[in-house]
Amino acid sequence: MSVLPEAFYLPADDGGFEPTRATQSLWDPDAQHGGPPTALLAHVLDGSAAAGTRMARISVDFLGPIPRRPARVAVTELRPGRLVRLAQADLVIDGRAAVTARAWYIATGPTPPVETPSAPPPPVPSAPDRPQTVASSDFGYGQAIEWRFTESDAPGTTGVWTRVRVPLVAGQDLTGLARALIVADSANGLSLTLPPDRWLSIPPTMTATLLRPPTGEWVHMECRTHLSDDGLGLAEATLRDPKGLLAEVAQPLLIRAR
C-alpha cells in the first residue's frame, strides 16, 4: 500500500480546500469519491450550527463527476429556527456547484424516559495478514479506509467494519460525524449485485438519517442493494458502532449495461 496523504483535504489560503489522492474515485482517477465531499459539506455546515443542535439528516446531490480540483464551500440558510433548522452547502469547483447538500438540524434536549434497545453489530474481526480492499484497483479512497468484512451471505449484501485512516481536513481532528459520512456513500459499491465491469450502478444522490454520531474509530456498515425490473435500484445501509444504531442510508441507483 502506498503512503497515505496527510488528509482528504488540505486547507487553502483563500478559505477553500484542496482534495488529495485520498479522495480519488475507483472509476476515474481525476474524480472524487462521493464520501469525502459529503463529509466536507457536513463539516462546514456543522461549523455554522447553533450550540445545542445536532445534524439529524443530510441529503447530498451529486451534480455530475466531482473533479479532484480546488473547491470552496458556500453555505445558505434555508429555514432558520431555534428547534429545527435547514441549511444548504454547495461544493463549488471551477465556478459551478458540483455537489449540493441539505441538512436538517434538531435541538437536543433531556433524555427520554424510555430506552430504545439497539442490537450491536458483530465484533470487529482481527486484523488480517494482508489489508482487505474494496476492489482490486489501487485507488486513493479505498486505501484511506480500513475495511474488515464480517459477512456477505448473498449477492447484494455485505457487512463490513470501517475505520477512516486520515483526517478529513489537515490539521483538524476527525469527528464522529465525519467518520460516518466518509463511508456512508460506499453502500452501493460495497453491495453490488451485478459485475461492475459489465454493469453501471450510479447513485445520483444519497440520504443519511442520523440517530447519533459514533463513539470510537470503527463504524459497521450492513449494506443491501435491491433491483427493480425497469433499470432502477436502491442501495441501503445500516450504520452501527459497538453500542448500536447510528444511521440509516439510502441511495437510488441508475442500473445500465456498459
Side-chain angles (χ1 to χ4, degrees):
M1 180 178 294
S2 57
V3 176
L4 292 174
E6 181 182 357
F8 289 95
Y9 296 97
L10 306 178
D13 293 338
D14 61 359
F17 301 91
E18 177 81 34
T20 71
R21 189 178 60 82
T23 67
Q24 184 184 55
S25 167
L26 167 64
W27 309 111
D28 181 350
D30 295 322
Q32 298 185 53
H33 186 279
T38 294
L40 181 65
L41 293 178
H43 171 73
V44 175
L45 283 167
D46 252 17
S48 66
T53 66
R54 187 153 53 77
M55 187 181 292
R57 191 208 71 182
I58 184 168
S59 294
V60 185
D61 297 320
F62 307 110
L63 306 180
I66 310 166
R68 202 152 57 87
R69 292 176 50 79
R72 63 180 181 85
V73 178
V75 174
T76 305
E77 190 87 1
L78 298 178
R79 196 277 191 193
R82 183 174 60 86
L83 297 179
V84 294
R85 167 185 177 251
L86 177 65
Q88 176 173 312
D90 297 313
L91 188 74
V92 180
I93 302 175
D94 296 333
R96 71 168 186 88
V99 185
T100 293
R102 287 190 171 193
W104 281 100
Y105 283 81
I106 297 178
T108 57
T111 301
V114 176
E115 182 176 348
T116 306
S118 180
V124 181
S126 300
D129 294 335
R130 299 180 61 184
Q132 294 176 302
T133 60
V134 295
S136 59
S137 301
D138 178 11
F139 69 111
Y141 172 82
Q143 292 186 346
I145 315 295
E146 183 174 356
W147 314 88
R148 296 192 191 178
F149 291 88
T150 56
E151 60 181 305
S152 184
D153 295 333
T157 65
T158 298
V160 60
W161 280 100
T162 67
R163 184 178 70 87
V164 180
R165 296 178 184 270
V166 297
L168 176 63
V169 179
Q172 301 184 25
D173 291 337
L174 187 65
T175 66
L177 177 65
R179 289 187 186 280
L181 293 181
I182 285 170
V183 298
D185 187 56
S186 299
N188 166 52
L190 288 167
S191 60
L192 290 172
T193 302
L194 297 167
D197 59 336
R198 289 188 284 150
W199 288 85
L200 295 172
S201 180
I202 302 173
T205 184
M206 187 277 295
T207 297
T209 303
L210 306 156
L211 177 64
R212 60 179 178 86
T215 58
E217 293 187 312
W218 292 93
V219 172
H220 186 265
M221 299 182 67
E222 181 184 321
C223 308
R224 306 162 294 277
T225 289
H226 313 271
L227 303 182
S228 71
D229 59 3
D230 61 352
L232 275 71
L234 171 62
E236 303 175 300
T238 300
L239 273 58
R240 294 185 174 92
D241 67 4
K243 294 184 177 180
L245 182 65
L246 299 173
E248 296 286 350
V249 173
Q251 299 169 292
L253 304 174
L254 168 71
I255 306 294
R256 290 291 187 277
R258 287 184 178 272

